[in-house]
Amino acid sequence: MSVLFMLPGQGAQRAGLLHTLPSARQIDETLQQTSDLIGSDCLLLDTMPALESTYAVQLCLLIAGVAMARVFAANGIVPAMVAGLSIGAFPAAVIAGALDYSDAVRLVQRRAQLMEQTYPTGYGMAAVTGLDKFELEKIIDAVHSKVAPVYLANFNAAKQLVISGSNSALEKVMERALEAKATKAVRLAVNVPSHCPLFDEAAREMKKTLDGIALQRPSVAYFSASTARVLFDPQLIGDDLASNMARQVHWSETMRLAWERGARLAIEMPGGTVLSNLAATQWTDGISLACDTDRLDTLLELAAREQS
């Protein structure tokens, strides 16, 4: 049986994310390393005002994911597979051994700056539960326009989907989705329109940055949530990292693939529980846990058992 590490995307952040990581040497070392790389105290990134910025959010999720994985590694727990949603792909690539952490920090800084500069205000994302993709696509097609664009962005589960676009279009789709008997439609804590063509140009700029970074063949299976495929070729992983901001997320298919490849214990790195909850509902057997809600000693014990 295999252990899967899941790395959450933007929206999973919370105030105090870095301050509430476990007390461990690996955490302290990662925080110090990051502060040295960015030239300021990274612990300033996880305040509520700071997290209004995409830059702070994406760096926090990178730091938390890598730091927590280093704690697991120090206790002899190395995943057989990693899967990251959106920004989570970057810590996933680091954990897999494909990307150096210092390069990841610089790449995430660039990524966040590109996204913020492209759409500083007026855009975001929303989750719609209870409609399938065909029902939601009809509503999106009726609302979408050049001046108020909206797109289907994430396939988290058969009837748990995410839309991305302008605030006005998001509100209209959410309203019509509820009228069409959606059980829930809520805005996410994301202030950029990720995973849609609005970021095509930014993704091309990101590709130029990644072309100058040396990636390695990963030592564990790296799952692309954009393609629901396992990638081992460094060039393909680089392309995946560069373009995922503009590509749809196929998380449900990615989790099915992980199951088919033997994953039976899924652990969500800080700071959320959405991915672990999705895995728990999709997998017919196995265990899905989250660092934010489960004790570290329990996680280490279960992971050691799965690896034995």
Side-chain angles (χ1 to χ4, degrees):
M1 295 185 184
S2 298
V3 177
L4 166 71
F5 280 3
M6 303 180 296
L7 289 299
Q10 197 165 343
Q13 71 275 6
R14 54 177 170 76
L17 172 60
L18 302 181
H19 285 80
T20 55
L21 292 171
S23 178
R25 176 176 58 82
Q26 295 76 24
I27 300 291
D28 294 338
E29 289 175 350
T30 305
L31 294 173
Q32 185 59 57
Q33 180 185 8
T34 311
S35 295
D36 292 342
L37 288 167
I38 67 175
S40 61
D41 186 356
C42 69
L43 287 174
L44 299 175
L45 295 170
D46 73 352
T47 65
M48 188 65 77
L51 290 174
E52 293 296 317
S53 161
T54 294
Y55 175 87
V57 169
Q58 295 194 5
L59 274 176
C60 277
L61 291 173
L62 170 68
I63 297 164
V66 171
M68 198 67 218
R70 288 174 171 177
V71 173
F72 278 96
N75 285 274
I77 307 302
V78 178
M81 315 170 192
V82 294
L85 193 156
S86 192
I87 186 61
F90 287 82
V94 173
I95 296 165
L99 179 65
D100 182 77
Y101 181 64
S102 60
D103 288 330
V105 170
R106 289 189 285 271
L107 288 169
V108 169
Q109 287 180 295
R110 177 60 173 156
R111 183 183 192 267
Q113 288 164 349
L114 281 169
M115 296 176 81
E116 281 189 325
Q117 290 167 4
T118 305
Y119 294 102
T121 59
Y123 290 80
M125 304 181 78
V128 178
T129 305
L131 299 182
D132 63 33
K133 68 175 183 177
F134 303 106
E135 294 169 317
L136 189 55
E137 281 173 341
K138 288 180 182 179
I139 297 172
I140 290 171
D141 289 344
V143 171
H144 174 86
S145 69
K146 187 174 182 179
V147 295
V150 61
Y151 299 88
L152 183 53
N154 295 31
F155 298 86
N156 290 341
K159 291 193 175 184
Q160 188 174 110
L161 307 169
V162 176
I163 56 175
S164 188
S166 69
N167 288 341
S168 60
L170 290 176
E171 294 301 323
K172 289 178 182 177
V173 172
M174 292 166 63
E175 180 182 352
R176 295 189 186 188
L178 291 171
E179 291 173 353
K181 308 305 180 184
T183 55
K184 194 175 184 181
V186 296
R187 286 295 297 264
L188 300 178
V190 182
N191 52 13
V192 289
S194 300
H195 308 300
C196 73
L198 293 174
F199 275 127
D200 281 348
E201 180 56 36
R204 284 190 284 270
E205 289 299 314
M206 192 68 191
K207 179 66 167 59
K208 295 177 184 177
T209 304
L210 263 148
D211 283 343
I213 301 294
L215 279 81
Q216 308 298 320
R217 184 176 176 84
S219 56
V220 305
Y222 170 93
F223 287 82
S224 163
S226 299
T227 62
R229 292 176 55 200
V230 180
L231 303 180
F232 285 100
D233 185 319
Q235 181 64 51
L236 293 179
I237 293 174
D239 291 344
D240 184 66
L241 294 173
S243 64
N244 76 3
M245 70 171 80
R247 290 182 178 173
Q248 289 179 324
V249 174
H250 296 274
W251 190 256
S252 179
E253 290 181 48
T254 303
M255 288 300 98
R256 183 169 66 248
L257 179 60
W259 174 265
E260 291 170 353
R261 291 181 65 93
R264 293 297 181 269
L265 173 60
I267 301 176
E268 183 174 1
M269 298 293 105
T273 59
V274 170
L275 301 185
S276 48
N277 289 336
L278 287 171
T281 57
Q282 183 171 343
W283 290 3
T284 56
D285 193 8
I287 303 171
S288 180
L289 302 171
C291 291
D292 267 19
T293 56
D294 294 283
R295 288 170 53 96
L296 178 59
D297 55 357
T298 300
L299 294 170
L300 291 171
E301 179 183 351
L302 287 170
R305 189 183 307 164
E306 287 297 318
Q307 287 190 162
S308 62

